[in-house]
Amino acid sequence: MNSQGSFVVNGVARVIINQILRSPDIYYNSESDHNEIPIYTNTIISDWGGRLRLEIDGRARIWARISKKRKVFILVLLLAMGFTTKQILGGVCYPNFFLDSLRRKKTKREHPQSTEDVIVELYKKLYCIGGDLTFSESIRKELHKRNFQQRCELGRIGRLNLNKRFDLDVPESEYFLLPQDVLVAVDYLIKTKFGTGTLDDIDHLKNRRIHSIANLLRDQFRLALNRLENSVRQTIRGATKCKRLPTPKSLVTSTPLIAIFKEFFGSHPLSQFLDQTNPLTKIVHKRRLSSLGPGGLT
């Protein structure tokens, strides 16, 4: 970036437009199903990673959706996260409502007892696996890595929003969604069902934040590091098959970083040619806010 606030790419002046996006937080909403019965939902919007959606359907059952995959019963998700049934019932204000939603389940198969059964049941639901599946440590590790371990990064703003809304005492340096966050989110969702919780207007400006140039470049840098990690893994795997020791120079290269930033400045929707009609149009272009682009409106 030069002193004028623009970038010079291949001799051409370009400007990166700031975005206005939904702030990382938990948003509660109410809608009606096809029978005009109110359904209460909440959506956990992350700063980086997938979204988690919880809902209470017309039959007063609580479900969870992880990244638009098939929905799972909330008890299965909480037990797989490490809670016990006693901790879950002690962490909600309306335990009888939670117990009633359990009794509405038809089959015994959907009431796994042990932690191993819970993990197997959740794995089968998320990855649409039919038939019998036995528990193994690899299943546990894959489930935690893909869905629990650093799956939903709230960031500093998201953590501040959650601590303020639910009166939590989680350190501000903890950027990732914790199991206790999911439990208090379920508790507040039940409160909205009984009218003691408040619903959110997700389009209100107080629920928006500015995604600046620094945030955009940080996301690109993170993407470049992910690609570098994958290339290092492939290089080590290939060297192991050939029984050769890779050198640090062959492992860590600047190619992914250069390619990512060239692609960002050259073809990203928020990277635009600077309007140089007159000095005023330059200032207007640099101060423009957009709701479009990745993560925004389509």
Side-chain angles (χ1 to χ4, degrees), residues 258-289:
I258 295 173
I260 283 289
F261 279 103
K262 277 188 175 181
E263 181 182 352
F264 174 76
F265 283 104
S267 60
H268 196 277
L270 297 173
S271 175
Q272 303 175 1
F273 292 110
L274 178 62
D275 187 354
Q276 303 185 67
T277 305
N278 56 58
L280 185 58
T281 58
K282 289 184 180 181
I283 296 176
V284 171
H285 199 184
K286 294 170 187 175
R287 293 186 176 182
R288 187 172 299 162
L289 289 175

PDB file of all heavy atoms in Angstrom, residues 258-289:
ATOM      1  N   ILE A 258       2.740 -16.106  -3.005  1.00  0.00           N
ATOM      2  CA  ILE A 258       2.756 -15.227  -4.175  1.00  0.00           C
ATOM      3  C   ILE A 258       1.514 -15.453  -5.040  1.00  0.00           C
ATOM      4  O   ILE A 258       0.874 -14.509  -5.509  1.00  0.00           O
ATOM      5  CB  ILE A 258       4.044 -15.461  -4.991  1.00  0.00           C
ATOM      6  CG1 ILE A 258       5.267 -15.048  -4.167  1.00  0.00           C
ATOM      7  CG2 ILE A 258       4.005 -14.701  -6.299  1.00  0.00           C
ATOM      8  CD1 ILE A 258       6.589 -15.393  -4.815  1.00  0.00           C
ATOM      9  N   ALA A 259       1.160 -16.730  -5.232  1.00  0.00           N
ATOM     10  CA  ALA A 259       0.012 -17.045  -6.079  1.00  0.00           C
ATOM     11  C   ALA A 259      -1.289 -16.522  -5.476  1.00  0.00           C
ATOM     12  O   ALA A 259      -2.144 -15.965  -6.186  1.00  0.00           O
ATOM     13  CB  ALA A 259      -0.078 -18.552  -6.287  1.00  0.00           C
ATOM     14  N   ILE A 260      -1.445 -16.675  -4.145  1.00  0.00           N
ATOM     15  CA  ILE A 260      -2.673 -16.214  -3.489  1.00  0.00           C
ATOM     16  C   ILE A 260      -2.835 -14.706  -3.609  1.00  0.00           C
ATOM     17  O   ILE A 260      -3.907 -14.192  -3.961  1.00  0.00           O
ATOM     18  CB  ILE A 260      -2.677 -16.646  -2.012  1.00  0.00           C
ATOM     19  CG1 ILE A 260      -3.027 -18.132  -1.883  1.00  0.00           C
ATOM     20  CG2 ILE A 260      -3.657 -15.817  -1.200  1.00  0.00           C
ATOM     21  CD1 ILE A 260      -4.463 -18.461  -2.188  1.00  0.00           C
ATOM     22  N   PHE A 261      -1.756 -13.949  -3.355  1.00  0.00           N
ATOM     23  CA  PHE A 261      -1.873 -12.494  -3.392  1.00  0.00           C
ATOM     24  C   PHE A 261      -1.991 -11.970  -4.814  1.00  0.00           C
ATOM     25  O   PHE A 261      -2.658 -10.964  -5.055  1.00  0.00           O
ATOM     26  CB  PHE A 261      -0.694 -11.856  -2.660  1.00  0.00           C
ATOM     27  CG  PHE A 261      -0.866 -11.832  -1.170  1.00  0.00           C
ATOM     28  CD1 PHE A 261      -0.203 -12.730  -0.360  1.00  0.00           C
ATOM     29  CD2 PHE A 261      -1.717 -10.916  -0.580  1.00  0.00           C
ATOM     30  CE1 PHE A 261      -0.367 -12.707   1.014  1.00  0.00           C
ATOM     31  CE2 PHE A 261      -1.891 -10.879   0.797  1.00  0.00           C
ATOM     32  CZ  PHE A 261      -1.213 -11.785   1.591  1.00  0.00           C
ATOM     33  N   LYS A 262      -1.359 -12.633  -5.768  1.00  0.00           N
ATOM     34  CA  LYS A 262      -1.563 -12.239  -7.166  1.00  0.00           C
ATOM     35  C   LYS A 262      -3.020 -12.445  -7.573  1.00  0.00           C
ATOM     36  O   LYS A 262      -3.629 -11.603  -8.245  1.00  0.00           O
ATOM     37  CB  LYS A 262      -0.631 -13.054  -8.074  1.00  0.00           C
ATOM     38  CG  LYS A 262       0.774 -12.495  -8.185  1.00  0.00           C
ATOM     39  CD  LYS A 262       1.561 -13.248  -9.245  1.00  0.00           C
ATOM     40  CE  LYS A 262       2.938 -12.621  -9.458  1.00  0.00           C
ATOM     41  NZ  LYS A 262       3.716 -13.329 -10.495  1.00  0.00           N
ATOM     42  N   GLU A 263      -3.571 -13.588  -7.160  1.00  0.00           N
ATOM     43  CA  GLU A 263      -4.975 -13.868  -7.484  1.00  0.00           C
ATOM     44  C   GLU A 263      -5.900 -12.881  -6.792  1.00  0.00           C
ATOM     45  O   GLU A 263      -6.887 -12.418  -7.369  1.00  0.00           O
ATOM     46  CB  GLU A 263      -5.304 -15.301  -7.060  1.00  0.00           C
ATOM     47  CG  GLU A 263      -6.722 -15.736  -7.359  1.00  0.00           C
ATOM     48  CD  GLU A 263      -7.001 -17.140  -6.868  1.00  0.00           C
ATOM     49  OE1 GLU A 263      -6.050 -17.826  -6.433  1.00  0.00           O
ATOM     50  OE2 GLU A 263      -8.175 -17.554  -6.907  1.00  0.00           O
ATOM     51  N   PHE A 264      -5.575 -12.521  -5.545  1.00  0.00           N
ATOM     52  CA  PHE A 264      -6.432 -11.593  -4.794  1.00  0.00           C
ATOM     53  C   PHE A 264      -6.431 -10.204  -5.431  1.00  0.00           C
ATOM     54  O   PHE A 264      -7.487  -9.623  -5.707  1.00  0.00           O
ATOM     55  CB  PHE A 264      -5.952 -11.518  -3.338  1.00  0.00           C
ATOM     56  CG  PHE A 264      -6.665 -10.480  -2.523  1.00  0.00           C
ATOM     57  CD1 PHE A 264      -7.957 -10.703  -2.073  1.00  0.00           C
ATOM     58  CD2 PHE A 264      -6.053  -9.281  -2.203  1.00  0.00           C
ATOM     59  CE1 PHE A 264      -8.624  -9.742  -1.319  1.00  0.00           C
ATOM     60  CE2 PHE A 264      -6.703  -8.326  -1.444  1.00  0.00           C
ATOM     61  CZ  PHE A 264      -7.993  -8.565  -1.008  1.00  0.00           C
ATOM     62  N   PHE A 265      -5.252  -9.663  -5.680  1.00  0.00           N
ATOM     63  CA  PHE A 265      -5.180  -8.305  -6.228  1.00  0.00           C
ATOM     64  C   PHE A 265      -5.618  -8.255  -7.687  1.00  0.00           C
ATOM     65  O   PHE A 265      -6.058  -7.208  -8.168  1.00  0.00           O
ATOM     66  CB  PHE A 265      -3.760  -7.760  -6.100  1.00  0.00           C
ATOM     67  CG  PHE A 265      -3.413  -7.308  -4.709  1.00  0.00           C
ATOM     68  CD1 PHE A 265      -2.598  -8.084  -3.908  1.00  0.00           C
ATOM     69  CD2 PHE A 265      -3.897  -6.117  -4.203  1.00  0.00           C
ATOM     70  CE1 PHE A 265      -2.266  -7.667  -2.625  1.00  0.00           C
ATOM     71  CE2 PHE A 265      -3.582  -5.691  -2.930  1.00  0.00           C
ATOM     72  CZ  PHE A 265      -2.761  -6.478  -2.135  1.00  0.00           C
ATOM     73  N   GLY A 266      -5.502  -9.380  -8.398  1.00  0.00           N
ATOM     74  CA  GLY A 266      -5.825  -9.359  -9.819  1.00  0.00           C
ATOM     75  C   GLY A 266      -7.269  -9.652 -10.162  1.00  0.00           C
ATOM     76  O   GLY A 266      -7.810  -9.068 -11.103  1.00  0.00           O
ATOM     77  N   SER A 267      -7.926 -10.549  -9.398  1.00  0.00           N
ATOM     78  CA  SER A 267      -9.260 -10.986  -9.812  1.00  0.00           C
ATOM     79  C   SER A 267     -10.301 -10.995  -8.698  1.00  0.00           C
ATOM     80  O   SER A 267     -11.436 -11.409  -8.937  1.00  0.00           O
ATOM     81  CB  SER A 267      -9.170 -12.402 -10.412  1.00  0.00           C
ATOM     82  OG  SER A 267      -8.664 -13.324  -9.445  1.00  0.00           O
ATOM     83  N   HIS A 268      -9.959 -10.578  -7.494  1.00  0.00           N
ATOM     84  CA  HIS A 268     -10.939 -10.580  -6.413  1.00  0.00           C
ATOM     85  C   HIS A 268     -12.000  -9.498  -6.657  1.00  0.00           C
ATOM     86  O   HIS A 268     -11.681  -8.411  -7.148  1.00  0.00           O
ATOM     87  CB  HIS A 268     -10.235 -10.321  -5.075  1.00  0.00           C
ATOM     88  CG  HIS A 268     -11.064 -10.683  -3.891  1.00  0.00           C
ATOM     89  ND1 HIS A 268     -12.020  -9.850  -3.349  1.00  0.00           N
ATOM     90  CD2 HIS A 268     -11.082 -11.806  -3.117  1.00  0.00           C
ATOM     91  CE1 HIS A 268     -12.587 -10.435  -2.311  1.00  0.00           C
ATOM     92  NE2 HIS A 268     -12.032 -11.608  -2.141  1.00  0.00           N
ATOM     93  N   PRO A 269     -13.281  -9.792  -6.355  1.00  0.00           N
ATOM     94  CA  PRO A 269     -14.335  -8.785  -6.610  1.00  0.00           C
ATOM     95  C   PRO A 269     -14.134  -7.479  -5.852  1.00  0.00           C
ATOM     96  O   PRO A 269     -14.622  -6.434  -6.290  1.00  0.00           O
ATOM     97  CB  PRO A 269     -15.618  -9.496  -6.132  1.00  0.00           C
ATOM     98  CG  PRO A 269     -15.303 -10.953  -6.177  1.00  0.00           C
ATOM     99  CD  PRO A 269     -13.848 -11.073  -5.883  1.00  0.00           C
ATOM    100  N   LEU A 270     -13.444  -7.516  -4.716  1.00  0.00           N
ATOM    101  CA  LEU A 270     -13.245  -6.306  -3.934  1.00  0.00           C
ATOM    102  C   LEU A 270     -11.972  -5.559  -4.319  1.00  0.00           C
ATOM    103  O   LEU A 270     -11.698  -4.500  -3.761  1.00  0.00           O
ATOM    104  CB  LEU A 270     -13.209  -6.652  -2.443  1.00  0.00           C
ATOM    105  CG  LEU A 270     -14.504  -7.238  -1.886  1.00  0.00           C
ATOM    106  CD1 LEU A 270     -14.314  -7.695  -0.460  1.00  0.00           C
ATOM    107  CD2 LEU A 270     -15.633  -6.216  -1.962  1.00  0.00           C
ATOM    108  N   SER A 271     -11.195  -6.095  -5.258  1.00  0.00           N
ATOM    109  CA  SER A 271     -10.008  -5.414  -5.768  1.00  0.00           C
ATOM    110  C   SER A 271     -10.389  -4.746  -7.095  1.00  0.00           C
ATOM    111  O   SER A 271     -10.641  -5.430  -8.086  1.00  0.00           O
ATOM    112  CB  SER A 271      -8.860  -6.412  -5.969  1.00  0.00           C
ATOM    113  OG  SER A 271      -7.745  -5.788  -6.562  1.00  0.00           O
ATOM    114  N   GLN A 272     -10.434  -3.438  -7.112  1.00  0.00           N
ATOM    115  CA  GLN A 272     -10.954  -2.699  -8.267  1.00  0.00           C
ATOM    116  C   GLN A 272      -9.934  -1.668  -8.745  1.00  0.00           C
ATOM    117  O   GLN A 272      -9.076  -1.216  -7.986  1.00  0.00           O
ATOM    118  CB  GLN A 272     -12.259  -1.990  -7.885  1.00  0.00           C
ATOM    119  CG  GLN A 272     -13.343  -2.928  -7.365  1.00  0.00           C
ATOM    120  CD  GLN A 272     -14.570  -2.185  -6.895  1.00  0.00           C
ATOM    121  OE1 GLN A 272     -14.638  -0.955  -6.963  1.00  0.00           O
ATOM    122  NE2 GLN A 272     -15.549  -2.924  -6.404  1.00  0.00           N
ATOM    123  N   PHE A 273     -10.066  -1.319 -10.032  1.00  0.00           N
ATOM    124  CA  PHE A 273      -9.245  -0.234 -10.575  1.00  0.00           C
ATOM    125  C   PHE A 273      -9.648   1.079  -9.910  1.00  0.00           C
ATOM    126  O   PHE A 273     -10.833   1.389  -9.779  1.00  0.00           O
ATOM    127  CB  PHE A 273      -9.421  -0.130 -12.089  1.00  0.00           C
ATOM    128  CG  PHE A 273      -8.863  -1.294 -12.851  1.00  0.00           C
ATOM    129  CD1 PHE A 273      -9.697  -2.204 -13.478  1.00  0.00           C
ATOM    130  CD2 PHE A 273      -7.499  -1.488 -12.936  1.00  0.00           C
ATOM    131  CE1 PHE A 273      -9.184  -3.272 -14.178  1.00  0.00           C
ATOM    132  CE2 PHE A 273      -6.976  -2.558 -13.635  1.00  0.00           C
ATOM    133  CZ  PHE A 273      -7.809  -3.450 -14.252  1.00  0.00           C
ATOM    134  N   LEU A 274      -8.672   1.848  -9.496  1.00  0.00           N
ATOM    135  CA  LEU A 274      -8.942   3.115  -8.817  1.00  0.00           C
ATOM    136  C   LEU A 274      -9.567   4.117  -9.779  1.00  0.00           C
ATOM    137  O   LEU A 274      -9.067   4.327 -10.892  1.00  0.00           O
ATOM    138  CB  LEU A 274      -7.643   3.672  -8.231  1.00  0.00           C
ATOM    139  CG  LEU A 274      -7.729   5.023  -7.528  1.00  0.00           C
ATOM    140  CD1 LEU A 274      -8.660   4.947  -6.320  1.00  0.00           C
ATOM    141  CD2 LEU A 274      -6.349   5.496  -7.105  1.00  0.00           C
ATOM    142  N   ASP A 275     -10.674   4.695  -9.328  1.00  0.00           N
ATOM    143  CA  ASP A 275     -11.344   5.736 -10.118  1.00  0.00           C
ATOM    144  C   ASP A 275     -10.516   7.021 -10.010  1.00  0.00           C
ATOM    145  O   ASP A 275     -10.478   7.673  -8.964  1.00  0.00           O
ATOM    146  CB  ASP A 275     -12.762   5.952  -9.599  1.00  0.00           C
ATOM    147  CG  ASP A 275     -13.562   6.893 -10.492  1.00  0.00           C
ATOM    148  OD1 ASP A 275     -12.975   7.454 -11.446  1.00  0.00           O
ATOM    149  OD2 ASP A 275     -14.767   7.069 -10.234  1.00  0.00           O
ATOM    150  N   GLN A 276      -9.846   7.404 -11.109  1.00  0.00           N
ATOM    151  CA  GLN A 276      -8.945   8.546 -11.092  1.00  0.00           C
ATOM    152  C   GLN A 276      -9.472   9.720 -11.922  1.00  0.00           C
ATOM    153  O   GLN A 276      -8.694  10.483 -12.497  1.00  0.00           O
ATOM    154  CB  GLN A 276      -7.564   8.134 -11.608  1.00  0.00           C
ATOM    155  CG  GLN A 276      -6.950   6.978 -10.823  1.00  0.00           C
ATOM    156  CD  GLN A 276      -5.542   6.660 -11.268  1.00  0.00           C
ATOM    157  OE1 GLN A 276      -4.620   7.448 -11.089  1.00  0.00           O
ATOM    158  NE2 GLN A 276      -5.362   5.487 -11.869  1.00  0.00           N
ATOM    159  N   THR A 277     -10.815   9.842 -11.985  1.00  0.00           N
ATOM    160  CA  THR A 277     -11.396  10.947 -12.749  1.00  0.00           C
ATOM    161  C   THR A 277     -10.952  12.290 -12.179  1.00  0.00           C
ATOM    162  O   THR A 277     -10.569  13.204 -12.924  1.00  0.00           O
ATOM    163  CB  THR A 277     -12.928  10.846 -12.721  1.00  0.00           C
ATOM    164  OG1 THR A 277     -13.324   9.553 -13.186  1.00  0.00           O
ATOM    165  CG2 THR A 277     -13.554  11.918 -13.606  1.00  0.00           C
ATOM    166  N   ASN A 278     -11.022  12.446 -10.868  1.00  0.00           N
ATOM    167  CA  ASN A 278     -10.540  13.654 -10.189  1.00  0.00           C
ATOM    168  C   ASN A 278     -10.209  13.264  -8.748  1.00  0.00           C
ATOM    169  O   ASN A 278     -10.531  12.160  -8.309  1.00  0.00           O
ATOM    170  CB  ASN A 278     -11.574  14.786 -10.269  1.00  0.00           C
ATOM    171  CG  ASN A 278     -12.926  14.356  -9.715  1.00  0.00           C
ATOM    172  OD1 ASN A 278     -13.015  13.954  -8.560  1.00  0.00           O
ATOM    173  ND2 ASN A 278     -13.961  14.436 -10.552  1.00  0.00           N
ATOM    174  N   PRO A 279      -9.570  14.136  -7.980  1.00  0.00           N
ATOM    175  CA  PRO A 279      -9.190  13.787  -6.599  1.00  0.00           C
ATOM    176  C   PRO A 279     -10.377  13.393  -5.721  1.00  0.00           C
ATOM    177  O   PRO A 279     -10.232  12.561  -4.829  1.00  0.00           O
ATOM    178  CB  PRO A 279      -8.511  15.058  -6.086  1.00  0.00           C
ATOM    179  CG  PRO A 279      -7.980  15.724  -7.311  1.00  0.00           C
ATOM    180  CD  PRO A 279      -8.980  15.435  -8.381  1.00  0.00           C
ATOM    181  N   LEU A 280     -11.550  13.991  -5.962  1.00  0.00           N
ATOM    182  CA  LEU A 280     -12.711  13.672  -5.135  1.00  0.00           C
ATOM    183  C   LEU A 280     -13.185  12.239  -5.378  1.00  0.00           C
ATOM    184  O   LEU A 280     -13.546  11.520  -4.437  1.00  0.00           O
ATOM    185  CB  LEU A 280     -13.837  14.662  -5.414  1.00  0.00           C
ATOM    186  CG  LEU A 280     -15.081  14.531  -4.522  1.00  0.00           C
ATOM    187  CD1 LEU A 280     -14.706  14.694  -3.062  1.00  0.00           C
ATOM    188  CD2 LEU A 280     -16.137  15.554  -4.920  1.00  0.00           C
ATOM    189  N   THR A 281     -13.203  11.803  -6.640  1.00  0.00           N
ATOM    190  CA  THR A 281     -13.629  10.436  -6.929  1.00  0.00           C
ATOM    191  C   THR A 281     -12.653   9.417  -6.342  1.00  0.00           C
ATOM    192  O   THR A 281     -13.056   8.315  -5.956  1.00  0.00           O
ATOM    193  CB  THR A 281     -13.747  10.224  -8.449  1.00  0.00           C
ATOM    194  OG1 THR A 281     -12.477  10.502  -9.076  1.00  0.00           O
ATOM    195  CG2 THR A 281     -14.818  11.117  -9.035  1.00  0.00           C
ATOM    196  N   LYS A 282     -11.381   9.773  -6.254  1.00  0.00           N
ATOM    197  CA  LYS A 282     -10.412   8.877  -5.607  1.00  0.00           C
ATOM    198  C   LYS A 282     -10.768   8.665  -4.137  1.00  0.00           C
ATOM    199  O   LYS A 282     -10.786   7.524  -3.650  1.00  0.00           O
ATOM    200  CB  LYS A 282      -9.005   9.463  -5.709  1.00  0.00           C
ATOM    201  CG  LYS A 282      -8.386   9.442  -7.085  1.00  0.00           C
ATOM    202  CD  LYS A 282      -6.957   9.972  -7.016  1.00  0.00           C
ATOM    203  CE  LYS A 282      -6.291   9.962  -8.380  1.00  0.00           C
ATOM    204  NZ  LYS A 282      -4.902  10.451  -8.313  1.00  0.00           N
ATOM    205  N   ILE A 283     -11.074   9.761  -3.449  1.00  0.00           N
ATOM    206  CA  ILE A 283     -11.412   9.656  -2.026  1.00  0.00           C
ATOM    207  C   ILE A 283     -12.697   8.858  -1.840  1.00  0.00           C
ATOM    208  O   ILE A 283     -12.807   8.005  -0.953  1.00  0.00           O
ATOM    209  CB  ILE A 283     -11.547  11.063  -1.412  1.00  0.00           C
ATOM    210  CG1 ILE A 283     -10.194  11.785  -1.471  1.00  0.00           C
ATOM    211  CG2 ILE A 283     -12.037  10.987   0.034  1.00  0.00           C
ATOM    212  CD1 ILE A 283     -10.248  13.223  -0.979  1.00  0.00           C
ATOM    213  N   VAL A 284     -13.702   9.121  -2.677  1.00  0.00           N
ATOM    214  CA  VAL A 284     -14.977   8.407  -2.580  1.00  0.00           C
ATOM    215  C   VAL A 284     -14.773   6.913  -2.795  1.00  0.00           C
ATOM    216  O   VAL A 284     -15.345   6.075  -2.085  1.00  0.00           O
ATOM    217  CB  VAL A 284     -15.982   8.987  -3.590  1.00  0.00           C
ATOM    218  CG1 VAL A 284     -17.229   8.109  -3.661  1.00  0.00           C
ATOM    219  CG2 VAL A 284     -16.355  10.400  -3.212  1.00  0.00           C
ATOM    220  N   HIS A 285     -13.959   6.551  -3.781  1.00  0.00           N
ATOM    221  CA  HIS A 285     -13.737   5.137  -4.089  1.00  0.00           C
ATOM    222  C   HIS A 285     -13.041   4.418  -2.936  1.00  0.00           C
ATOM    223  O   HIS A 285     -13.376   3.277  -2.595  1.00  0.00           O
ATOM    224  CB  HIS A 285     -12.903   5.020  -5.373  1.00  0.00           C
ATOM    225  CG  HIS A 285     -12.995   3.670  -6.007  1.00  0.00           C
ATOM    226  ND1 HIS A 285     -12.277   3.317  -7.119  1.00  0.00           N
ATOM    227  CD2 HIS A 285     -13.721   2.568  -5.689  1.00  0.00           C
ATOM    228  CE1 HIS A 285     -12.561   2.075  -7.453  1.00  0.00           C
ATOM    229  NE2 HIS A 285     -13.434   1.601  -6.593  1.00  0.00           N
ATOM    230  N   LYS A 286     -12.071   5.096  -2.304  1.00  0.00           N
ATOM    231  CA  LYS A 286     -11.332   4.465  -1.207  1.00  0.00           C
ATOM    232  C   LYS A 286     -12.186   4.322   0.048  1.00  0.00           C
ATOM    233  O   LYS A 286     -11.921   3.445   0.867  1.00  0.00           O
ATOM    234  CB  LYS A 286     -10.073   5.282  -0.890  1.00  0.00           C
ATOM    235  CG  LYS A 286      -9.045   5.287  -2.008  1.00  0.00           C
ATOM    236  CD  LYS A 286      -7.942   6.289  -1.731  1.00  0.00           C
ATOM    237  CE  LYS A 286      -6.995   6.425  -2.920  1.00  0.00           C
ATOM    238  NZ  LYS A 286      -5.986   7.476  -2.701  1.00  0.00           N
ATOM    239  N   ARG A 287     -13.207   5.159   0.202  1.00  0.00           N
ATOM    240  CA  ARG A 287     -14.049   5.115   1.396  1.00  0.00           C
ATOM    241  C   ARG A 287     -15.332   4.328   1.184  1.00  0.00           C
ATOM    242  O   ARG A 287     -16.205   4.320   2.051  1.00  0.00           O
ATOM    243  CB  ARG A 287     -14.396   6.542   1.832  1.00  0.00           C
ATOM    244  CG  ARG A 287     -13.199   7.335   2.322  1.00  0.00           C
ATOM    245  CD  ARG A 287     -13.612   8.680   2.867  1.00  0.00           C
ATOM    246  NE  ARG A 287     -12.473   9.404   3.427  1.00  0.00           N
ATOM    247  CZ  ARG A 287     -12.562  10.595   4.014  1.00  0.00           C
ATOM    248  NH1 ARG A 287     -13.736  11.194   4.107  1.00  0.00           N
ATOM    249  NH2 ARG A 287     -11.480  11.185   4.508  1.00  0.00           N
ATOM    250  N   ARG A 288     -15.447   3.686   0.043  1.00  0.00           N
ATOM    251  CA  ARG A 288     -16.680   2.972  -0.275  1.00  0.00           C
ATOM    252  C   ARG A 288     -16.804   1.703   0.572  1.00  0.00           C
ATOM    253  O   ARG A 288     -15.823   1.033   0.879  1.00  0.00           O
ATOM    254  CB  ARG A 288     -16.696   2.612  -1.762  1.00  0.00           C
ATOM    255  CG  ARG A 288     -18.005   2.015  -2.253  1.00  0.00           C
ATOM    256  CD  ARG A 288     -17.973   1.880  -3.760  1.00  0.00           C
ATOM    257  NE  ARG A 288     -17.815   3.199  -4.394  1.00  0.00           N
ATOM    258  CZ  ARG A 288     -17.423   3.388  -5.647  1.00  0.00           C
ATOM    259  NH1 ARG A 288     -17.107   2.335  -6.409  1.00  0.00           N
ATOM    260  NH2 ARG A 288     -17.331   4.595  -6.147  1.00  0.00           N
ATOM    261  N   LEU A 289     -18.040   1.378   0.947  1.00  0.00           N
ATOM    262  CA  LEU A 289     -18.357   0.140   1.657  1.00  0.00           C
ATOM    263  C   LEU A 289     -19.203  -0.737   0.747  1.00  0.00           C
ATOM    264  O   LEU A 289     -20.090  -0.247   0.051  1.00  0.00           O
ATOM    265  CB  LEU A 289     -19.121   0.422   2.948  1.00  0.00           C
ATOM    266  CG  LEU A 289     -18.348   1.072   4.099  1.00  0.00           C
ATOM    267  CD1 LEU A 289     -19.291   1.384   5.248  1.00  0.00           C
ATOM    268  CD2 LEU A 289     -17.223   0.188   4.558  1.00  0.00           C
TER     269      LEU A 289
END
